Amino acid sequence: RADRRQPRVTNIAPAYVLTLCCKVVCVDDDFAEDAPPRDPAATLRMIEEQRAAAARLVNPDARIYYWPWGFAWLISFTVFFLRYGPNGRVFVDLPGWLPFVVMITLILAAGAVAGIGSARAYRHIEGDSSRRGLYYGLSWSIGFASLFTVAGRITEYVPDDLQGLLWAGIAVGLTGVLHMAGGAIFLDRYLFALGLWISVINMAGIFVGPGWHSLIVAVLGGGGMIVAGSVLARRQRAWR
């Protein structure tokens, strides 16, 4: 006998359906407090406060960058001058290796402080600006690694009284060039001007000879960066 039962259908649809037919808006007290002010003057003040906050975030205190390098140069080149003065004069009888160790230690410390400060300041920035900063930072590391490699290879062929001038002259010269390159990349006229200043005093110091070069770089280079950091920090506070 043919089975006349109807096919069995299983209903897998939900037991009921809710249809949202109105918009639900919940406003708490915190949201109301964060709402934009209705007064135009208050709105402008809020915009200015947000702009200043963003400027502080991406433009750190200039002293974070300039002061570590300035004090490193001021101290290390002063030690060089006291040990290797003009015409072979020794103002303070220090071990011959000490000025080199002091310079390398302070430069590494200054680079670490400035690098950490810059990394914290620009950690929120992405895209082309971030890549430019990364490439620029790598150029410093690779540039000085190349410099020390070349200088270390040829130092033995240079007269003893000119070895210090060789290391200091090419190191300061590379620093000036990289500062000018940074000013061109980031369109920072202050950074470019600093690189130009460093290059000029470096050439002047090399021209007058060993001993005097260390004194010029210590006072006009290191001292100049300390002064520049103070002036730029004051301007930053005024802009904010």
Side-chain angles (χ1 to χ4, degrees), residues 79-96 99:
V79 173
F80 255 100
F81 175 75
L82 296 176
R83 176 60 180 85
Y84 300 103
N87 301 318
R89 184 175 179 181
V90 178
F91 294 98
V92 179
D93 190 12
L94 301 171

Side-chain angles (χ1 to χ4, degrees), residues 166-191:
L166 169 68
W167 282 81
I170 60 178
V172 175
L174 179 59
T175 301
V177 171
L178 288 173
H179 276 83
M180 289 190 288
I185 293 171
F186 301 108
L187 299 179
D188 187 337
R189 64 178 183 274
Y190 298 108
L191 188 60

Side-chain angles (χ1 to χ4, degrees), residues 91-152:
F91 294 98
V92 179
D93 190 12
L94 301 171
W97 52 265
L98 183 60
F100 295 94
V101 173
V102 170
M103 174 176 288
I104 293 174
T105 302
L106 292 179
I107 286 178
L108 291 176
V113 173
I116 292 173
S118 298
R120 289 180 176 177
Y122 298 110
R123 66 184 182 275
H124 301 290
I125 298 178
E126 298 179 352
D128 292 341
S129 297
S130 177
R131 285 192 294 270
R132 279 197 294 267
L134 174 62
Y135 297 158
Y136 182 59
L138 290 175
S139 68
W140 277 82
S141 302
I142 297 173
F144 273 95
S146 301
L147 181 150
F148 291 145
T149 301
V150 173

